Amino acid sequence: MIRMIVLLLIPLTLLFGAQVEQKIWPAGLTFPAYLKEQNASGLLQTISAQDMEYVTEIQAGEIYYELCDHGQLLQTLIPLGKEMQIEIVNRGERGYRFDIVPIRFHQIKKEVSFAVKKGYAAQIKHLTGSTYLGFILEQLFQKRVNFRTLQPQDRFALIYTQKGRLGKPSGHPKIISALLKTHGKEYFVYIDTKGDVHFDTHKAVTFTRIEKRPFTYTTVRKAPSARFRMPVDHPRITSHFSYRRWHPILHKYRPHFGVDFGARRGTPLRAVNDGRVIYAGWMRGYGKVVRINHGGGFVSLYAHQSKILVKTGQHVKRGQVIGRAGSTGRSTGPHLHFGLYFKGRPIDPLRYIAHKGTGKFRTIVEKHTIMKKYSITHQKRIEIPEAKHARNRLKSLIKQLTTETWKWPRYKRNLIYINEITEKKTARTEDRRG
Ligand SMILES: [Zn+2]
């Protein structure tokens, strides 16, 4: 036990003589003149031309720090702007060292809670030493709480941070979270590291996802009937195209691969389009028949004719009379059986024929359904874990009120040398203090 005390005392006594002094850089003082005052002129030769430019940036009126021991300079810290500083260190026999290093701050996290009396702003100032905190609090809550209606017994709890340097606060405190209990209601605020303000422990996030959904659209097109006209001048349909119809003669179901037009014997039959006659003659069941190839895979057929007026191989024009209606072959009476074939297969002629020869074409409306990719925006609420922790902390804090006026922790002056000489040591020293 005794040995331990002795070990601890030795370094302390060595440093006890050293004093940190806060000074103001006087107008007209140059850096070389300052070094001369400190008997450290030798240092000048070690400073690069580049760094000498920074040295001329030292502003008159700047607050700087000196650590001296019995009149001998151990260390000087002179700020260059808000972030950097000149550091001069006495390394004993190895002489002075010059460097430009970051100004190091430490941060203190503070918790305060209080019940409202007259003038909450004065209370905050009393408890935290800051007028700024009261101002910011009112701003944070202003959309939800009218601070003029605050009553005694309303309570605040507050978590905030304060940067400090060499035993003094530096800059404004920053609120992390606060809880206000007024008129029996609790109001919460949390500020994340990005500075975004949340009034709840959850936040809404939106995200987009690619999803496939059926998409239906309609197309309108003209039937390819533009190709063909009616085979008779005054068409009267007596039987439609069908894959299964009752056959009046056979008394059986049979397909009907064409359209029957009522027509008196001798009615002129017209080519539905330009083409070449590929057959003109007798066909079993169909009687006297003409078949015309119109190209593009289309062939038309005119059956049960009483008279054929064209020959195989003959070219015909659209509307040209190619024969006359009759009742040859298997037929119940005079009519035209008109067939249309595409690539050898029978098709419903009416889907390809201009209506009644008026030139008005049938329009086909078709519905199509495809799977389409959509980017869909979803929203969900997610918890902010830090906010949840803060809220829990504030809830317990608000029950036990802060009684003591908070003071900035007393700075151990003799630590300045150790504090800022190397980064590693500094970090450890600051942890201990914060
Ligand atoms: Zn028929």
Side-chain angles (χ1 to χ4, degrees):
M1 194 66 186
I2 288 163
R3 257 178 67 195
M4 258 183 69
I5 290 167
V6 171
L7 282 173
L8 277 170
L9 278 177
I10 293 166
L12 283 175
T13 41
L14 277 176
L15 282 164
F16 257 131
Q19 287 290 316
V20 179
E21 267 190 84
Q22 183 182 303
K23 291 185 168 179
I24 294 170
W25 194 267
L29 179 64
T30 64
F31 188 68
Y34 173 76
L35 290 182
K36 203 174 174 189
E37 275 178 19
Q38 304 298 331
N39 294 319
S41 293
L43 184 59
L44 265 183
Q45 276 109 57
T46 69
I47 302 172
S48 68
Q50 175 79 58
D51 283 352
M52 277 309 286
E53 281 181 29
Y54 293 119
V55 156
T56 61
E57 296 288 327
I58 300 171
Q59 302 291 316
E62 198 79 83
I63 290 168
Y64 71 104
Y65 296 90
E66 258 179 17
L67 178 71
C68 291
D69 190 12
H70 296 103
Q72 196 187 17
L73 182 71
L74 294 180
Q75 188 182 25
T76 304
L77 297 171
I78 310 161
L80 292 171
K82 283 185 176 173
E83 300 285 333
M84 301 299 286
Q85 61 188 348
I86 293 168
E87 183 185 54
I88 300 162
V89 175
N90 186 343
R91 296 175 301 172
E93 287 173 7
R94 289 184 296 151
Y96 285 96
R97 191 199 64 189
F98 171 93
D99 207 353
I100 293 170
V101 297
I103 294 173
R104 292 181 200 115
F105 299 96
H106 56 273
Q107 190 165 283
I108 288 173
K109 194 173 176 183
K110 239 344 244 170
E111 298 174 338
V112 170
S113 67
F114 60 94
V116 172
K117 292 177 200 156
K118 264 187 193 172
Y120 79 97
Q123 275 178 282
I124 292 184
K125 170 130 208 273
H126 176 69
L127 289 168
T128 65
S130 165
T131 44
Y132 176 80
L133 276 176
F135 170 71
I136 291 298
L137 265 183
E138 188 163 350
Q139 282 208 329
L140 285 172
F141 286 111
Q142 69 176 355
K143 281 190 181 158
R144 297 184 298 161
V145 181
N146 183 354
F147 271 34
R148 270 176 235 143
T149 68
L150 291 183
Q151 293 175 323
Q153 300 319 310
D154 286 348
R155 287 185 174 201
F156 277 103
L158 180 63
I159 302 173
Y160 67 97
T161 58
Q162 171 69 60
K163 269 198 332 181
R165 181 175 182 240
L166 300 173
K168 281 187 179 154
S170 173
H172 284 310
K174 266 189 184 169
I175 289 176
I176 296 173
S177 65
L179 189 65
L180 167 59
K181 201 172 179 181
T182 177
H183 296 90
K185 269 188 171 177
E186 283 185 342
Y187 298 90
F188 171 75
V189 67
Y190 170 76
I191 303 171
D192 65 22
T193 47
K194 280 191 243 160
D196 291 338
V197 178
H198 307 274
F199 297 114
D200 194 0
T201 53
H202 287 68
K203 64 177 172 181
V205 289
T206 54
F207 58 98
T208 53
R209 209 161 51 193
I210 304 294
E211 282 179 17
K212 274 188 175 177
R213 288 186 178 182
F215 172 76
T216 304
Y217 64 97
T218 53
T219 55
V220 178
R221 63 182 170 95
K222 281 178 183 169
S225 58
R227 289 189 120 88
F228 306 114
R229 54 154 285 159
M230 282 288 177
V232 286
D233 288 337
H234 306 287
R236 182 173 56 87
I237 292 161
T238 56
S239 182
H240 282 271
F241 181 91
S242 167
Y243 288 103
R244 200 185 87 135
R245 77 152 187 183
W246 179 250
H247 196 286
I249 294 176
L250 297 173
H251 290 280
K252 279 179 185 175
Y253 281 103
R254 283 288 181 274
H256 185 228
F257 291 142
V259 173
D260 290 346
F261 292 92
R264 287 183 199 176
R265 185 186 168 85
T267 303
L269 307 176
R270 299 185 184 276
V272 292
N273 208 346
D274 294 354
R276 192 174 67 89
V277 179
I278 52 170
Y279 185 77
W282 188 268
M283 263 173 94
R284 217 156 49 116
Y286 280 150
K288 285 181 180 172
V289 161
V290 169
R291 290 172 71 220
I292 302 170
N293 185 350
H294 301 285
F298 287 95
V299 168
S300 59
L301 176 146
Y302 314 74
H304 309 306
Q305 296 186 26
S306 59
K307 194 173 187 189
I308 295 172
L309 298 174
V310 288
K311 289 192 175 98
T312 303
Q314 185 183 334
H315 286 272
V316 291
K317 288 281 175 197
R318 184 185 178 98
Q320 182 178 336
V321 179
I322 51 95
R324 296 195 179 273
S327 188
T328 52
R330 193 176 285 145
S331 171
T332 50
H335 76 282
L336 166 65
H337 170 96
F338 177 75
L340 190 65
Y341 297 79
F342 180 69
K343 291 183 178 172
R345 288 167 187 269
I347 53 174
D348 182 358
L350 293 184
R351 292 193 59 186
Y352 297 87
I353 289 181
H355 265 257
K356 292 172 184 173
T358 57
K360 280 184 187 169
F361 303 136
R362 209 162 60 92
T363 53
I364 297 177
V365 179
E366 285 168 316
K367 274 195 173 179
H368 311 266
T369 301
I370 55 162
M371 294 304 283
K372 200 175 167 184
K373 278 182 182 175
Y374 290 89
S375 106
I376 291 159
T377 305
H378 297 271
Q379 207 179 50
K380 66 174 176 185
R381 285 172 63 74
I382 59 162
E383 194 184 79
I384 314 163
E386 297 83 0
K388 196 189 169 191
H389 291 150
R391 190 190 183 114
N392 290 340
R393 180 71 196 132
L394 290 167
K395 281 193 154 207
S396 62
L397 202 64
I398 211 165
K399 288 176 196 153
Q400 31 178 303
L401 303 181
T402 312
T403 49
E404 277 180 31
T405 306
W406 185 71
K407 287 195 183 82
W408 195 257
R410 255 187 58 177
Y411 181 66
K412 292 171 190 158
R413 301 195 141 199
N414 54 17
L415 284 180
I416 183 176
Y417 190 86
I418 303 156
N419 181 26
E420 304 237 7
I421 200 160
T422 68
E423 276 197 35
K424 270 189 179 174
K425 273 186 182 171
T426 306
R428 245 183 277 138
T429 319
E430 279 180 359
D431 284 351
R432 225 182 294 144
R433 272 191 301 160

